[in-house]
Amino acid sequence: MTEIQRYAAFTADPRGGNPAGIVLDARGLSDPEMLAIAAGVGYSETAFIVSPEPPPPPPRHLGGPSKAAGYDNPGGPSTYRVRYFSPEIEVPFCGHATIATAVALGPGEHVFTTNAGDVPITVDEHGRATLTSVPASVDDLEAGDLSALLKALHYTDFDLDESLPPKVAYAGAHHPVIALGTRAKLAALDYDVDALKQLMTANGWTTIQLIFRATDDTFDVRNPFPVGGVYEDPATGAAAAALGAYLRELWVVPDDAVLNLRQGDDMGRPSRITVTLTPGDDRVRVSGTAVPITG
């Protein structure tokens, strides 16, 4: 029987953050079986550690009795092949499930080989994990797509922050970034689920990163995720990394900035995400804690 663990990421309280399912040993599970498990768990994503190709050496025992399909790199981190499924689709990369899975594995250095590329993660003794994204990039948002996106979100041009133009940012998955002019407009999220889902599917977007700049280094964010069968994510590590790339690309923050993201507050699941930029590195670091969900 497949063992499923449940963790809340980007929080120290299991009642907050974004819940993630974790299967530390998914060897032998087919794609339909993993999708069915993710649908049964019902969270926005479930992470599955699967056997690398070619088959790895015998698996290690990590974090107690559970087995994970990892393999040792002498003198380096433990490496795992990881896949992520929402209740409806597989996604190339998921930040909150990465943080949760790394914490479940235990303190140390890990590398997750994802569909988007290799993602290094470090976990300290206090259960705080930091992932390093794949190389990030930022592209223009086509005028027609922006018009359709605003219509689906029930926004107009007048709702936007003129100093932060809409773009599409990537750090493992693609996320349009839409900056709003007021916190109240962010709090009043109400979108056309079918229209937004169709638009996101057509463009290969994973979530929509809606933001409000509260201070120079603090942002309130929300993330619709209808393509995954979830109305909204209370914490989104992949979109957080993409936002860091976006802000750096626009010279909104310095290239050594440490940013604080507040997410999930409007859903009653407060999440806190730290984004760190490093000069000369086109990757983005995303940090947070994760705790088991019991009961």
Coordinates of all heavy atoms in Angstrom, one line a residue, residues 31-101:
D31 N 1.6 6.8 -14.3 CA 1.1 8.1 -14.3 C -0.4 8.2 -13.9 O -0.8 9.0 -13.1 CB 1.2 8.7 -15.7 CG 2.7 9.0 -16.0 OD1 3.6 8.5 -15.3 OD2 2.9 9.8 -17.0
P32 N -1.3 7.3 -14.4 CA -2.7 7.4 -14.0 C -2.8 7.1 -12.5 O -3.7 7.7 -11.8 CB -3.3 6.3 -14.8 CG -2.5 6.2 -16.0 CD -1.1 6.4 -15.6
E33 N -2.0 6.2 -11.9 CA -2.0 5.9 -10.5 C -1.6 7.1 -9.7 O -2.2 7.5 -8.6 CB -1.2 4.7 -10.1 CG -1.8 3.4 -10.6 CD -0.8 2.2 -10.5 OE1 0.4 2.4 -10.6 OE2 -1.3 1.1 -10.3
M34 N -0.6 7.8 -10.1 CA -0.1 9.0 -9.4 C -1.2 10.1 -9.4 O -1.4 10.8 -8.5 CB 1.2 9.5 -9.9 CG 2.4 8.6 -9.4 SD 4.0 9.3 -9.8 CE 4.1 8.8 -11.6
L35 N -1.8 10.3 -10.6 CA -2.8 11.3 -10.8 C -4.0 10.9 -9.9 O -4.6 11.8 -9.2 CB -3.3 11.4 -12.2 CG -4.3 12.5 -12.6 CD1 -3.7 13.8 -12.2 CD2 -4.7 12.4 -14.0
A36 N -4.4 9.7 -9.8 CA -5.5 9.2 -8.9 C -5.2 9.5 -7.5 O -6.1 9.9 -6.7 CB -5.8 7.8 -9.2
I37 N -3.9 9.2 -7.1 CA -3.6 9.5 -5.7 C -3.6 11.0 -5.4 O -4.2 11.4 -4.3 CB -2.1 8.9 -5.4 CG1 -2.1 7.4 -5.4 CG2 -1.6 9.5 -4.1 CD1 -0.8 6.8 -5.3
A38 N -3.1 11.8 -6.3 CA -3.2 13.3 -6.1 C -4.6 13.7 -6.0 O -5.0 14.6 -5.1 CB -2.5 14.0 -7.2
A39 N -5.5 13.2 -6.8 CA -6.9 13.6 -6.8 C -7.5 13.1 -5.4 O -8.4 13.8 -4.9 CB -7.7 12.9 -7.9
G40 N -7.2 11.9 -5.0 CA -7.7 11.5 -3.7 C -7.2 12.3 -2.5 O -8.0 12.5 -1.6
V41 N -5.9 12.7 -2.5 CA -5.4 13.6 -1.5 C -6.1 14.9 -1.5 O -6.5 15.4 -0.5 CB -3.9 13.8 -1.7 CG1 -3.4 14.8 -0.7 CG2 -3.1 12.4 -1.4
G42 N -6.3 15.4 -2.7 CA -7.1 16.6 -2.8 C -6.4 18.0 -2.6 O -7.0 19.0 -2.7
Y43 N -5.1 17.9 -2.4 CA -4.3 19.1 -2.2 C -4.0 19.7 -3.6 O -4.1 19.0 -4.6 CB -3.1 18.9 -1.4 CG -3.3 18.5 0.0 CD1 -2.3 17.8 0.7 CD2 -4.4 18.8 0.7 CE1 -2.5 17.4 2.0 CE2 -4.6 18.4 2.0 CZ -3.7 17.7 2.7 OH -3.8 17.3 4.0
S44 N -3.4 20.9 -3.7 CA -3.1 21.5 -5.0 C -2.0 20.6 -5.7 O -2.0 20.6 -6.9 CB -2.7 22.9 -4.8 OG -1.6 23.0 -3.9
E45 N -1.1 20.1 -4.9 CA -0.1 19.2 -5.5 C 0.3 18.1 -4.5 O 0.3 18.3 -3.3 CB 1.2 19.9 -5.9 CG 1.1 20.5 -7.3 CD 0.8 21.9 -7.3 OE1 0.7 22.5 -6.2 OE2 0.6 22.5 -8.4
T46 N 0.7 16.9 -5.1 CA 1.3 15.9 -4.3 C 2.6 15.5 -5.0 O 2.6 15.4 -6.3 CB 0.4 14.6 -4.3 OG1 -0.8 14.9 -3.5 CG2 1.1 13.4 -3.6
A47 N 3.7 15.4 -4.3 CA 5.0 15.1 -4.8 C 5.3 13.6 -4.7 O 5.0 13.0 -3.7 CB 6.1 15.9 -4.1
F48 N 5.9 13.1 -5.8 CA 6.2 11.6 -5.9 C 7.7 11.5 -6.1 O 8.2 12.0 -7.2 CB 5.4 11.0 -7.0 CG 3.9 11.0 -6.8 CD1 3.1 12.1 -7.1 CD2 3.2 9.9 -6.2 CE1 1.7 12.1 -6.9 CE2 1.8 9.9 -6.0 CZ 1.1 11.1 -6.4
I49 N 8.4 10.8 -5.3 CA 9.8 10.4 -5.5 C 9.7 9.1 -6.3 O 9.3 8.1 -5.8 CB 10.6 10.3 -4.2 CG1 10.7 11.6 -3.5 CG2 12.0 9.7 -4.5 CD1 11.5 11.6 -2.3
V50 N 10.2 9.1 -7.5 CA 10.2 8.0 -8.4 C 11.6 7.5 -8.7 O 12.6 8.3 -8.5 CB 9.4 8.2 -9.7 CG1 7.9 8.6 -9.4 CG2 10.0 9.3 -10.5
S51 N 11.7 6.3 -9.2 CA 13.1 5.8 -9.5 C 13.7 6.6 -10.7 O 13.1 6.8 -11.7 CB 13.0 4.3 -10.0 OG 12.5 3.5 -8.9
P52 N 15.0 7.0 -10.5 CA 15.6 7.7 -11.6 C 15.9 6.7 -12.7 O 15.8 5.5 -12.5 CB 17.0 8.2 -11.0 CG 16.8 8.1 -9.5 CD 15.8 7.0 -9.3
E53 N 16.2 7.2 -13.9 CA 16.6 6.4 -15.0 C 18.1 6.7 -15.3 O 18.4 7.9 -15.5 CB 15.7 6.6 -16.2 CG 14.3 6.2 -16.0 CD 14.1 4.7 -15.9 OE1 15.0 4.0 -16.3 OE2 13.1 4.3 -15.4
P54 N 19.0 5.7 -15.4 CA 18.8 4.3 -15.2 C 18.4 4.0 -13.7 O 18.6 4.9 -12.9 CB 20.1 3.7 -15.6 CG 21.1 4.7 -15.3 CD 20.4 6.0 -15.7
P55 N 18.0 2.7 -13.4 CA 17.6 2.4 -12.1 C 18.7 2.7 -11.1 O 19.9 2.5 -11.4 CB 17.3 0.9 -12.1 CG 17.0 0.7 -13.6 CD 17.8 1.6 -14.4
P56 N 18.4 3.3 -9.9 CA 19.4 3.7 -8.9 C 19.9 2.5 -8.1 O 19.3 1.4 -8.2 CB 18.6 4.6 -8.0 CG 17.2 4.0 -8.0 CD 17.0 3.5 -9.4
P57 N 21.0 2.7 -7.4 CA 21.4 1.7 -6.4 C 20.3 1.5 -5.3 O 19.3 2.2 -5.3 CB 22.6 2.4 -5.8 CG 23.1 3.4 -6.7 CD 21.8 3.9 -7.4
P58 N 20.5 0.5 -4.4 CA 19.4 0.3 -3.4 C 19.1 1.6 -2.7 O 19.9 2.4 -2.4 CB 20.1 -0.7 -2.5 CG 21.1 -1.4 -3.4 CD 21.6 -0.4 -4.3
P59 N 17.8 1.8 -2.4 CA 17.3 3.0 -1.8 C 17.8 3.2 -0.4 O 18.1 2.2 0.3 CB 15.8 2.9 -1.8 CG 15.5 1.4 -1.8 CD 16.7 0.8 -2.6
R60 N 17.9 4.5 0.0 CA 18.3 4.8 1.4 C 17.1 4.8 2.3 O 16.0 5.0 1.9 CB 19.0 6.2 1.4 CG 20.2 6.3 0.6 CD 20.6 7.8 0.6 NE 21.0 8.2 2.0 CZ 20.9 9.4 2.4 NH1 20.6 10.4 1.6 NH2 21.3 9.7 3.6
H61 N 17.4 4.6 3.6 CA 16.3 4.9 4.6 C 16.5 6.3 5.1 O 17.6 6.6 5.6 CB 16.5 3.9 5.8 CG 16.0 2.5 5.4 ND1 14.8 2.0 5.6 CD2 16.7 1.5 4.8 CE1 14.7 0.8 5.2 NE2 15.8 0.4 4.7
L62 N 15.5 7.1 5.0 CA 15.6 8.5 5.4 C 14.3 8.8 6.2 O 13.2 8.4 5.9 CB 15.6 9.4 4.2 CG 16.9 9.4 3.3 CD1 16.7 10.2 2.1 CD2 18.1 9.9 4.2
G63 N 14.6 9.6 7.2 CA 13.4 10.1 8.0 C 12.6 9.1 8.7 O 11.4 9.1 8.7
G64 N 13.3 8.0 9.3 CA 12.5 7.0 10.0 C 12.3 5.8 9.1 O 13.1 5.4 8.2
P65 N 11.1 5.2 9.2 CA 10.8 3.9 8.5 C 10.5 4.1 7.1 O 10.5 3.1 6.4 CB 9.6 3.4 9.3 CG 8.9 4.7 9.8 CD 10.0 5.6 10.1
S66 N 10.2 5.3 6.6 CA 9.9 5.4 5.2 C 11.1 5.2 4.3 O 12.2 5.5 4.6 CB 9.3 6.8 4.9 OG 8.1 7.0 5.7
K67 N 10.9 4.7 3.1 CA 11.9 4.5 2.1 C 11.7 5.5 1.0 O 10.6 5.7 0.5 CB 11.9 3.1 1.5 CG 12.2 2.0 2.5 CD 12.2 0.6 1.9 CE 12.6 -0.5 2.8 NZ 12.6 -1.8 2.2
A68 N 12.8 6.1 0.5 CA 12.8 7.0 -0.6 C 13.7 6.5 -1.7 O 14.8 6.0 -1.4 CB 13.2 8.4 -0.1
A69 N 13.3 6.7 -2.9 CA 14.1 6.2 -4.1 C 15.2 7.2 -4.4 O 15.2 7.8 -5.5 CB 13.2 6.0 -5.3
G70 N 16.1 7.5 -3.5 CA 17.2 8.4 -3.7 C 18.5 7.6 -3.9 O 18.6 6.4 -3.7
Y71 N 19.5 8.3 -4.3 CA 20.8 7.7 -4.4 C 21.9 8.6 -4.0 O 21.8 9.8 -4.1 CB 21.1 7.1 -5.8 CG 21.1 8.1 -6.9 CD1 22.2 8.8 -7.3 CD2 19.9 8.4 -7.5 CE1 22.2 9.7 -8.3 CE2 19.8 9.3 -8.6 CZ 21.0 10.0 -8.9 OH 20.9 10.9 -10.0
D72 N 23.0 8.1 -3.4 CA 24.0 8.9 -2.9 C 25.0 9.4 -3.9 O 25.4 8.6 -4.8 CB 24.8 8.2 -1.8 CG 24.0 8.1 -0.5 OD1 23.3 9.1 -0.2 OD2 24.1 7.1 0.3
N73 N 25.4 10.6 -3.9 CA 26.5 11.1 -4.7 C 27.7 11.3 -3.7 O 27.6 12.3 -2.9 CB 26.1 12.4 -5.4 CG 27.3 13.0 -6.1 OD1 28.3 12.4 -6.3 ND2 27.1 14.3 -6.5
P74 N 28.7 10.4 -3.7 CA 29.7 10.6 -2.7 C 30.3 12.0 -2.6 O 30.7 12.5 -3.6 CB 30.8 9.5 -3.2 CG 30.0 8.5 -3.9 CD 28.9 9.3 -4.6
G75 N 30.3 12.5 -1.4 CA 30.8 13.9 -1.2 C 29.8 15.0 -1.6 O 30.2 16.2 -1.6
G76 N 28.6 14.6 -2.0 CA 27.6 15.6 -2.5 C 26.3 15.3 -1.9 O 26.1 14.5 -1.1
P77 N 25.3 16.0 -2.4 CA 23.9 15.8 -1.9 C 23.3 14.5 -2.4 O 23.7 13.9 -3.3 CB 23.2 17.0 -2.5 CG 23.9 17.3 -3.8 CD 25.3 17.0 -3.5
S78 N 22.2 14.2 -1.7 CA 21.4 13.0 -2.2 C 20.4 13.5 -3.3 O 19.9 14.6 -3.2 CB 20.5 12.5 -1.0 OG 21.3 12.1 0.1
T79 N 20.3 12.7 -4.3 CA 19.6 13.1 -5.5 C 18.3 12.2 -5.7 O 18.4 11.0 -5.4 CB 20.5 13.0 -6.8 OG1 21.6 13.8 -6.6 CG2 19.7 13.4 -8.0
Y80 N 17.2 12.9 -6.1 CA 15.9 12.2 -6.2 C 15.3 12.6 -7.5 O 15.3 13.8 -7.9 CB 15.0 12.5 -5.0 CG 15.6 12.2 -3.7 CD1 16.4 13.2 -3.0 CD2 15.4 11.0 -3.1 CE1 16.9 12.9 -1.8 CE2 16.0 10.7 -1.9 CZ 16.7 11.6 -1.2 OH 17.3 11.4 0.0
R81 N 14.6 11.7 -8.2 CA 13.7 12.1 -9.3 C 12.3 12.3 -8.7 O 11.8 11.4 -8.1 CB 13.7 10.9 -10.3 CG 12.7 11.1 -11.4 CD 13.2 12.2 -12.4 NE 12.3 12.3 -13.6 CZ 11.3 13.2 -13.8 NH1 11.1 14.1 -12.8 NH2 10.6 13.1 -14.8
V82 N 11.8 13.5 -8.9 CA 10.6 13.9 -8.3 C 9.6 14.4 -9.4 O 10.0 15.2 -10.3 CB 10.8 15.0 -7.2 CG1 9.4 15.4 -6.6 CG2 11.8 14.6 -6.2
R83 N 8.3 14.0 -9.2 CA 7.3 14.4 -10.1 C 6.1 15.0 -9.3 O 6.0 14.6 -8.1 CB 6.8 13.3 -11.0 CG 7.9 12.8 -12.0 CD 7.4 11.6 -12.8 NE 6.3 12.0 -13.7 CZ 5.7 11.1 -14.5 NH1 6.1 9.8 -14.4 NH2 4.8 11.4 -15.3
Y84 N 5.4 15.9 -9.9 CA 4.3 16.6 -9.1 C 3.0 16.5 -9.9 O 2.9 16.8 -11.0 CB 4.7 18.1 -9.0 CG 6.1 18.4 -8.4 CD1 7.2 18.5 -9.3 CD2 6.3 18.5 -7.0 CE1 8.4 18.7 -8.8 CE2 7.6 18.7 -6.5 CZ 8.6 18.8 -7.4 OH 9.9 19.1 -6.9
F85 N 2.0 16.1 -9.1 CA 0.6 16.0 -9.7 C -0.4 16.8 -8.9 O -0.4 16.7 -7.7 CB 0.2 14.5 -9.8 CG 0.8 13.7 -10.8 CD1 2.1 13.2 -10.6 CD2 0.2 13.5 -12.1 CE1 2.7 12.4 -11.6 CE2 0.8 12.7 -13.0 CZ 2.1 12.2 -12.8
S86 N -1.2 17.6 -9.6 CA -2.3 18.2 -9.0 C -3.5 17.2 -9.2 O -3.3 16.2 -9.8 CB -2.7 19.5 -9.7 OG -3.3 19.3 -11.0
P87 N -4.7 17.6 -8.6 CA -5.8 16.6 -8.8 C -6.2 16.4 -10.3 O -6.9 15.5 -10.6 CB -6.9 17.3 -8.0 CG -6.2 18.1 -7.0 CD -5.0 18.6 -7.6
E88 N -5.7 17.3 -11.2 CA -6.2 17.1 -12.6 C -5.0 17.0 -13.6 O -5.2 16.4 -14.7 CB -7.0 18.3 -13.0 CG -8.4 18.4 -12.3 CD -9.3 19.4 -12.9 OE1 -9.0 20.0 -13.9 OE2 -10.4 19.6 -12.2
I89 N -3.8 17.5 -13.3 CA -2.7 17.5 -14.3 C -1.4 17.3 -13.6 O -1.3 17.5 -12.3 CB -2.7 18.8 -15.1 CG1 -2.4 20.0 -14.2 CG2 -3.9 18.9 -16.0 CD1 -2.1 21.2 -14.9
E90 N -0.4 16.9 -14.3 CA 1.0 16.9 -13.8 C 1.5 18.3 -14.1 O 1.3 18.9 -15.2 CB 1.8 15.9 -14.5 CG 3.3 15.9 -14.0 CD 4.2 14.8 -14.6 OE1 3.7 14.1 -15.6 OE2 5.3 14.6 -14.1
V91 N 2.3 18.8 -13.2 CA 2.9 20.1 -13.4 C 4.5 19.9 -13.4 O 5.0 19.0 -12.7 CB 2.5 21.2 -12.3 CG1 1.1 21.4 -12.3 CG2 2.9 20.7 -10.9
P92 N 5.2 20.8 -14.1 CA 6.7 20.5 -14.2 C 7.4 20.7 -12.9 O 8.5 20.1 -12.7 CB 7.1 21.5 -15.3 CG 6.1 22.6 -15.3 CD 4.8 21.9 -14.9
F93 N 6.9 21.6 -12.1 CA 7.7 22.0 -10.9 C 6.7 22.6 -9.9 O 5.8 23.4 -10.3 CB 8.8 22.9 -11.1 CG 9.5 23.5 -9.9 CD1 10.2 22.6 -9.0 CD2 9.4 24.8 -9.5 CE1 10.8 23.1 -7.9 CE2 10.0 25.3 -8.4 CZ 10.7 24.4 -7.6
C94 N 6.8 22.3 -8.6 CA 6.0 22.8 -7.6 C 6.8 23.2 -6.4 O 7.5 22.3 -5.8 CB 4.9 21.8 -7.1 SG 3.9 22.3 -5.7
G95 N 6.9 24.4 -6.0 CA 7.7 24.9 -5.0 C 7.3 24.5 -3.6 O 8.1 24.0 -2.8
H96 N 6.0 24.6 -3.2 CA 5.6 24.3 -1.9 C 5.7 22.8 -1.6 O 6.1 22.3 -0.5 CB 4.2 24.8 -1.6 CG 3.1 23.9 -1.9 ND1 2.5 23.9 -3.2 CD2 2.4 22.9 -1.2 CE1 1.5 23.0 -3.2 NE2 1.5 22.4 -2.1
A97 N 5.5 21.9 -2.6 CA 5.6 20.5 -2.4 C 7.1 20.1 -2.4 O 7.5 19.1 -1.7 CB 4.9 19.7 -3.5
T98 N 8.0 20.9 -3.0 CA 9.4 20.7 -2.9 C 9.9 21.0 -1.5 O 10.6 20.2 -0.9 CB 10.2 21.5 -3.9 OG1 9.8 21.1 -5.3 CG2 11.7 21.5 -3.7
I99 N 9.5 22.1 -1.0 CA 9.9 22.4 0.4 C 9.4 21.4 1.4 O 10.1 20.9 2.2 CB 9.3 23.8 0.8 CG1 10.0 24.9 -0.1 CG2 9.5 24.1 2.3 CD1 11.4 25.2 0.2
A100 N 8.1 21.0 1.2 CA 7.5 20.0 2.1 C 8.3 18.6 2.0 O 8.6 18.0 3.1 CB 6.1 19.8 1.8
T101 N 8.6 18.2 0.8 CA 9.2 16.9 0.6 C 10.6 16.9 1.2 O 11.1 15.9 1.8 CB 9.2 16.5 -0.9 OG1 7.9 16.5 -1.4 CG2 9.8 15.2 -1.1

